[in-house]
Amino acid sequence: MGPIGRGESRSDAVTRLLALLDQAAERRADLIVYPELALSTFFPRWYTDELGGHDHYYERSMPGPETQVLFDTAKEYGIGVHLGYAELTDDGHRYNSAILVDGAGNEVGIYRKVHIPGHENNEPWRPFQHLERRYFEESNEGFPVWRAFGGLVGMAICNDRRWPETYREMGLQGVELIMIGYNTPLHYAPDPAQNPLQSFHNHLCMQAGAYQNGAWVIGVAKGGTEEGVESLAQSAIIAPSGQIVAQAVTTGDELIVADCDLDWCGQYKNTLFDFARYRRPEMYGRIT
């Protein structure tokens, strides 16, 4: 997806999501993967005195009144949906979440972001802020894997993709397809020396995670210049070999499609990475 402006409504965003869904149906897709916080601008870039100052950006139910049409249309098409959004639970918890439903409209699972980056307090010296740690809680639910779409699937969100444990936790459950939405600014205030490497690091970690676990990885950006902040695009579909088989070439709303044969995963899981035969968990004590 391209940027979502601060003045764009949830309904505006859903209209754009529906346009991409229509294209996916024309291309006979089985599953469409939308990015992190696909219904709003990246609101943690602004500080509010009250913790609830951004609560109008959160979803209190999913689907909700304005998103129901997206799920209904996907069900008519027989297409599964992965959607990233800000979640406000009934008991007041705020999570950076993603929902997955299958082609029949049944909920497969909800994932809540584990690795929350950024900072908690107002830091006005920055050109823009990254207050994810103020507005979202770290999930303690880990990295589950679900049986859907003819295989084993999992989810992660943005910063999760940088951590090898994310992929390994799902890989050890036999995951065959991992969906990851992200919003990644090209400027990193704590260490601007990393700025030129953003696109390299983005693909590096996802390609490594795919190869080392014999799984497909679907990385989907909300890119372009959003409220003055330039963000990384380069959404990619990555094979179990670690190769990029499809990549976005614009910074706007764009559909990329690939035929993800889940049987390809076995070529790596059962040979080079025959975990049952070659893993040495007794040697990995520091991380277990």
Side-chain angles (χ1 to χ4, degrees):
M1 288 186 72
I4 298 177
R6 195 172 189 174
E8 289 189 60
S9 69
R10 194 177 272 97
S11 295
D12 292 334
V14 169
T15 297
R16 291 168 56 186
L17 297 175
L18 283 166
L20 289 165
L21 181 61
D22 290 340
Q23 295 174 44
E26 291 173 4
R27 299 287 298 274
R28 295 182 153 185
D30 299 305
L31 168 65
I32 188 165
V33 183
Y34 295 116
E36 174 191 33
L37 298 179
L39 298 171
S40 72
T41 196
F42 189 79
F43 59 84
R45 68 171 58 100
W46 297 293
Y47 176 83
T48 63
D49 290 330
E50 299 297 326
L51 181 60
H54 290 314
D55 279 2
H56 56 288
Y57 288 118
Y58 289 76
E59 308 301 313
R60 288 160 174 80
S61 62
M62 184 57 66
E66 291 158 302
T67 54
Q68 186 67 55
V69 62
L70 178 68
F71 291 89
D72 289 345
T73 305
K75 182 178 178 180
E76 290 176 13
Y77 284 140
I79 296 176
V81 173
H82 167 283
L83 178 70
Y85 62 100
E87 177 188 12
L88 180 58
T89 66
D90 291 339
D91 54 355
H93 293 284
R94 295 172 176 83
Y95 295 110
N96 190 337
S97 302
I99 188 172
L100 178 66
V101 302
D102 65 19
N106 302 309
E107 181 180 307
V108 175
I110 291 176
Y111 169 77
R112 297 179 173 111
K113 190 172 181 178
V114 170
H115 300 101
I116 306 294
H119 54 281
E120 298 90 343
N121 301 314
N122 191 19
E123 298 183 7
W125 58 267
R126 295 171 178 257
F128 57 90
Q129 303 214 46
H130 197 115
L131 288 154
E132 264 195 85
R133 294 187 66 84
R134 176 171 175 81
Y135 297 110
F136 292 118
E137 300 172 43
E138 295 173 324
S139 167
N140 293 318
E141 297 172 357
F143 298 96
V145 165
W146 296 271
R147 187 167 293 281
F149 305 100
L152 292 166
V153 302
M155 295 180 273
I157 296 175
C158 199
N159 189 42
D160 289 326
R161 77 193 189 278
R162 303 185 188 278
W163 298 84
E165 293 84 1
T166 295
Y167 305 94
R168 179 56 79 204
E169 275 289 306
M170 288 185 274
L172 292 177
Q173 299 172 73
V175 75
E176 294 166 306
L177 187 145
I178 301 171
M179 292 153 275
I180 306 173
Y182 59 92
N183 284 242
T184 299
L186 291 178
H187 175 70
Y188 182 56
D191 180 16
Q194 296 182 33
N195 291 357
L197 301 172
Q198 290 285 20
S199 61
F200 167 65
H201 287 158
N202 175 51
H203 285 159
L204 172 70
C205 59
M206 293 193 293
Q207 288 178 266
Y211 168 65
Q212 291 172 339
N213 295 280
W216 289 88
V217 172
I218 317 300
V220 185
K222 176 146 66 66
T225 302
E226 184 178 280
E227 295 299 327
V229 178
E230 189 177 6
S231 293
L232 181 69
Q234 297 190 345
S235 298
I237 301 174
I238 302 164
S241 61
Q243 295 168 286
I244 294 175
V245 298
Q247 180 177 324
V249 296
T250 73
T251 58
D253 293 359
E254 178 184 351
L255 181 76
I256 61 172
V257 179
D259 182 7
C260 300
D261 182 358
L262 300 186
D263 289 341
W264 191 353
C265 300
Q267 293 178 221
Y268 288 86
K269 292 181 184 293
N270 301 325
T271 59
L272 185 68
F273 293 116
D274 185 339
F275 296 130
R277 184 178 185 186
Y278 296 132
R279 277 187 83 242
R280 296 288 310 283
E282 72 275 13
M283 296 292 103
Y284 315 145
R286 288 182 184 86
I287 62 170
T288 58

